[in-house]
Amino acid sequence: KTLLGTKSLRWSEINRVSGRGYAIKLHNFDGDVTVAPATQLPGYDEVVNWIGMKRPDLFSPLEYAEMKKGWAGTIIFSLAGLLLLAGLVLFVLTQAGDVLIPLLVFVVFGLIAVVSVFTTPQSVTIQGDTIVIDYLFNQKTFSAKEISSIDLRYTQTRNGRNYFVAVTLLNRKAIHLSGFTLSLPVICLVLRNWHKKSTSVSQAFQRN
């Protein structure tokens, strides 16, 4: 429901999903009706969970075997960090003491931006019962049995909610996925499907 009216789709009428950022959009078979829950809606993460439970077939690990982060954000953050570091060098060379504090503030933010680029996942690839998480200069591989849960979570800020996908390991360490070109709700539901199927196969194999 919106101020302009109401849209509805039966679960059986949904043919595909799309979306970018935090959003998820449901499309019917003819493509003339779409439903997109508002990302700031209270309980939005629960709505995403319901979509995944009602129509898990829309989130096939085979269809979304590789999920990448957009390079635009990485390039912007890297350039910002390099420019701010260059500003620090200029300060040292000019020894302009009256601009020390404001310049250092910008440099700190630049360093944080650069560090975040190097320490956040850039892509996730599903390979059988394992996922490969690529960083700029590093790569980590986790099997489904090393993961305890996969959830869509958020942090609350003055500007609203910032969503991310939390891949929580058995040791309780969580890997945060954000900034991908594919919708975060779709990533969450695809990885959750993969985890459920992979752990079910593993448990069945062990019983046999």
Side-chain angles (χ1 to χ4, degrees):
K1 295 182 178 180
T2 68
L3 294 176
L4 301 178
T6 301
K7 284 186 178 182
S8 65
L9 276 176
R10 295 181 182 274
W11 291 111
S12 59
E13 294 176 331
I14 302 173
N15 178 50
R16 66 182 182 91
V17 296
S18 65
R20 296 180 66 87
Y22 307 153
I24 184 170
K25 183 179 290 187
L26 312 177
H27 303 256
N28 70 343
F29 282 89
D30 294 331
D32 57 347
V33 178
T34 61
V35 172
T39 59
Q40 297 303 321
L41 184 74
Y44 175 69
D45 50 335
E46 297 179 17
V47 173
V48 171
N49 290 340
W50 272 107
I51 295 172
M53 287 189 292
K54 290 289 188 178
R55 291 296 306 272
D57 55 297
L58 297 171
F59 308 96
S60 168
L62 295 177
E63 182 179 354
Y64 299 99
E66 186 176 14
M67 297 163 278
K68 295 183 178 182
K69 198 168 188 176
W71 280 102
T74 300
I75 293 173
I76 292 173
F77 275 119
S78 299
L79 289 176
L82 292 174
L83 288 173
L84 292 174
L85 287 175
L88 177 60
V89 173
L90 290 174
F91 164 77
V92 173
L93 294 177
T94 59
Q95 297 182 350
D98 56 334
V99 297
L100 174 60
I101 294 179
L103 187 56
L104 285 180
V105 170
F106 283 110
V107 169
V108 168
F109 279 108
L111 288 173
I112 292 174
V114 172
V115 170
S116 69
V117 170
F118 284 95
T119 59
T120 57
Q122 301 297 309
S123 70
V124 178
T125 305
I126 298 174
Q127 297 180 352
D129 63 348
T130 64
I131 56 172
V132 179
I133 300 179
D134 282 305
Y135 298 80
L136 280 182
F137 298 107
N138 191 19
Q139 186 181 85
K140 295 182 180 180
T141 301
F142 301 98
S143 65
K145 62 183 180 180
E146 294 179 272
I147 298 171
S148 63
S149 64
I150 298 170
D151 305 289
L152 182 66
R153 300 180 185 175
Y154 66 87
T155 56
Q156 186 69 49
T157 68
R158 287 183 295 180
N159 297 322
R161 295 177 178 179
N162 292 329
Y163 285 92
F164 61 92
V165 176
V167 179
T168 306
L169 306 178
L170 292 179
N171 62 8
R172 296 187 178 182
K173 179 180 179 181
I175 301 172
H176 292 188
L177 307 178
S178 62
F180 282 59
T181 55
L182 184 63
S183 162
L184 286 179
V186 174
I187 291 176
C188 178
L189 296 178
V190 168
L191 291 179
R192 191 178 289 170
N193 265 357
W194 161 80
H195 184 249
K196 182 179 180 180
K197 292 178 181 179
S198 297
T199 51
S200 297
V201 170
S202 177
Q203 291 171 359
F205 180 79
Q206 291 175 359
R207 286 197 296 268
N208 293 333

